[in-house]
Amino acid sequence: MKADVIARVTSSNSTIASCSANSTDSSLTSLIVPATAGANTVTVVIGAGTDYDSTKGNAANDFSFRGDDPASYVEEVTAAAASKKPAALLSDHLDDYQKLANAFVLTLPDTAGSEGLETSEMLANYATGSGDPYFESIMQSYARHLFISSSRPGSLPPNLQGRWSSGLYAAWSGDYHANINLQMNHWGVSETGLGDLQSPLWNYMANTWVPRGELTAQLLYGAPESAYVTHDEMNIFGHTAMKNDAQWANYPASATWMMAHVYDHFTYSGDTSWWTSTGYPLLRGQAVFWLSQLQADSYFNDGTLVVNPCNSPEHGPITFGCTHYQQLITELFANILDTAPSSEDQSFLSNVSSTLDSLDKGLHIGSWSQIQEWKLDLDVQNDTHRHLSNLYGWYPGYSLIHPDVSDGLRNSTIQNAVATTLWSRGPGIGSDADAGWEKVWRSACWARLNETERAYYELQYAISENIADNGLSMYSGHNEPFQIDANFGVNGAVMAMLILDLPRSDFVVLGPAIPAAWGGGNVKGVRTRGGGVLDFVWDAQGMVTGASWTTQPATARRALTKDGASLI
């Protein structure tokens, strides 16, 4: 891969910069900025690019991912930036950034007097159990800041380190893990007004997953040509195959999980042109794959279709009917039927519909009243494994909660089974990990149970246990490596406490789990499915007392309190 970098010094005075070869390494060049009388500032404009081109990652281009020499482009954009005065560059940046940052504003009380303190000071004062609402709002804003800064049109989506690494060799090669991490990087994005910044993700999947993924599907699974598959660890050069340890590598459902994000973007944005050209084809390729793979359950002989074999992400044995897969495929097929273009082949849709009818939906309540992780009742009580794969359909999915599938929203048996599973899995620390992402996932699950105290505890626990002095999340307590997913996951957990917005529903629930510590707060700019935008406020106990649509959704929707009272 060819790279090109230009550093250009601009100044209002007569400062003249020069380049000088490094005396010990001829491959290195130093930029020399001499001291100049009367000069107290210097502006350095840096432009960089490579010849990486994701649109060249296909058979027609020999999977080269190689585009044009970057030199002329880098020179052009650097010269354009250098031609502007520093004040103009700053003004352009602020206009661009603030439009995005101010699209959503969460205001929480400053009960700890934290406003004005350095981040490290707020963290030093922070404690699980008491918390700091102001700092918690800062951490949610920080999540949005990191996304604004790492996911822009023309870039790649944020990876395990976002776009920040302390060295050349990032943990896990700075790749894309897609059994929770890539997904969590995009939690809460649409709800907080940043949905349009996800184009790097859609392009990444369409350009680097689909072409190679079609070959992988044919070679490993004998799937039809229009099907594609990916596994757990991907890079930017089309790696879609399985690696060498079944427990974490045998995960052909990674792209299926990502289809929930594709579907969500459409239901929030209503962008039919994007859906027809990009979104729906991604879902369709996944549906074709699973239609070719599902098998009749010949163990229970219950007439259902299951995935066989399967590994639940990074946990347990090779078996069949892993409930995580079954929940994902249930949603995939339902979303296909909900949004298929009118031009879609009716025989394909009939196949999806009949298969969905026979599909095991991934809801089994086990011998100790838990949501089973496998169709076989293999769960062990107090297994504190970091993943909550069997609860995907509770959060961030919907198959365990939606009235059209299981009605867990009103079914106390399902709710109790979810709670039992969460209690058994522990607060997000165990022999296998002490990661921030496992804690914020638990927080969001508790929020959907309206268990405010537990949701807030887990959010506090993630912040106090895993956030370093610079605000970035660490994988093992406060110890490196840095892994950005928990930073983004804070956004998802906070939004789960603020709103429940299920697909194909005529209502939203406001404030399902707002803690009393956030009492008297408010939020502006919450996006809902159908293109709606909401502002709302709550009282000292966290009960929403007022709401208004600043933009009406395309289809009328009711806004309810967590007790079911109508607000608007």
Side-chain angles (χ1 to χ4, degrees), residues 64-379:
S64 68
F65 291 92
R66 188 180 298 279
D68 298 331
D69 188 302
S72 60
Y73 168 78
V74 173
E75 174 63 36
E76 179 183 342
V77 296
T78 307
S83 70
K84 296 183 178 182
K85 293 183 177 180
L89 289 173
L90 178 60
S91 177
D92 289 348
H93 165 71
L94 291 176
D95 288 345
D96 168 73
Y97 179 86
Q98 290 177 350
K99 183 186 301 182
L100 296 165
N102 295 335
F104 172 94
V105 179
L106 172 63
T107 302
L108 299 180
D110 184 13
T111 54
S114 294
E115 186 175 4
L117 295 181
E118 293 289 340
T119 303
S120 58
E121 291 182 80
M122 286 188 276
L123 269 169
N125 297 334
Y126 195 85
T128 301
S130 56
D132 178 349
Y134 178 82
F135 184 55
E136 289 146 13
S137 72
I138 291 293
M139 289 305 300
Q140 198 248 2
S141 295
Y142 191 43
R144 296 184 70 249
H145 163 76
L146 292 170
F147 196 81
I148 291 169
S149 303
S150 63
S151 184
R152 292 299 190 101
S155 72
L156 288 161
N159 61 26
L160 281 173
Q161 283 75 33
R163 62 184 304 167
W164 299 273
S165 177
S166 59
L168 290 176
Y169 304 101
W172 298 283
S173 303
D175 66 9
Y176 295 97
H177 281 37
N179 63 12
I180 178 58
N181 316 96
L182 179 59
Q183 291 85 350
M184 188 177 287
N185 284 4
H186 295 81
W187 282 6
V189 168
S190 292
E191 297 95 315
T192 61
L194 302 180
D196 288 344
L197 298 188
Q198 295 179 97
S199 61
L201 179 63
W202 320 139
N203 294 335
Y204 170 69
M205 291 192 291
N207 295 333
T208 70
W209 284 9
V210 173
R212 279 293 197 189
E214 289 178 343
L215 296 178
T216 301
Q218 294 168 40
L219 289 169
L220 288 186
Y221 299 94
E225 287 187 6
S226 58
Y228 70 96
V229 69
T230 61
H231 294 84
D232 178 32
E233 294 186 7
M234 277 75 69
N235 58 26
I236 65 172
F237 296 106
H239 175 78
T240 56
M242 193 186 305
K243 290 189 176 179
N244 62 344
D245 188 330
Q247 191 173 80
W248 56 267
N250 179 27
Y251 185 59
S254 57
T256 317
W257 189 340
M258 292 309 303
M259 292 309 99
H261 291 261
V262 176
Y263 171 78
D264 282 349
H265 179 63
F266 178 57
T267 62
Y268 279 92
S269 70
D271 187 342
T272 54
S273 176
W274 171 85
W275 182 246
T276 302
S277 66
T278 302
Y280 183 75
L282 286 169
L283 263 74
R284 193 184 198 280
Q286 277 295 285
V288 172
F289 175 78
W290 287 114
L291 288 171
S292 73
Q293 300 301 306
L294 293 167
Q295 303 175 28
D297 183 342
S298 58
Y299 183 88
F300 288 104
N301 290 314
D302 57 4
T304 65
L305 295 171
V306 294
V307 178
N308 181 27
C310 62
N311 281 86
S312 196
E314 305 188 34
H315 191 215
I318 300 174
T319 179
F320 69 94
C322 300
T323 54
H324 173 76
Y325 291 60
Q326 305 296 141
Q327 294 165 17
L328 285 168
I329 300 168
T330 296
E331 293 185 19
L332 171 69
F333 287 171
N335 295 343
I336 285 274
L337 296 173
D338 178 43
T339 57
S342 58
S343 59
E344 179 59 274
D345 179 57
Q346 291 304 306
S347 63
F348 169 73
L349 294 179
S350 295
N351 192 9
V352 171
S353 180
S354 61
T355 303
L356 178 59
D357 288 342
S358 301
L359 185 68
D360 184 296
K361 304 303 190 293
L363 172 59
H364 300 280
I365 297 178
S367 56
W368 44 277
S369 301
Q370 84 282 11
I371 300 290
Q372 292 178 204
E373 189 161 356
W374 305 273
K375 193 166 184 178
L376 294 171
D377 192 351
L378 304 174
D379 302 271

Side-chain angles (χ1 to χ4, degrees), residues 498 508-511 514 520-526 533-540 542-550 559-562 565-568:
L498 292 175
V508 295
V509 178
L510 304 185
I514 297 176
N522 68 85
V523 64
K524 296 180 180 179
V526 177
V533 183
L534 270 171
D535 297 347
F536 56 93
V537 300
W538 51 89
D539 63 18
M543 179 66 72
V544 175
T545 55
S548 61
W549 293 107
T550 58
L560 310 176
T561 68
K562 64 181 178 181
S566 180
L567 291 161
I568 48 175

Side-chain angles (χ1 to χ4, degrees), residues 409-421:
L409 190 62
R410 287 180 282 262
N411 186 313
S412 61
T413 301
I414 295 174
Q415 293 169 12
N416 290 337
V418 170
T420 296
T421 304

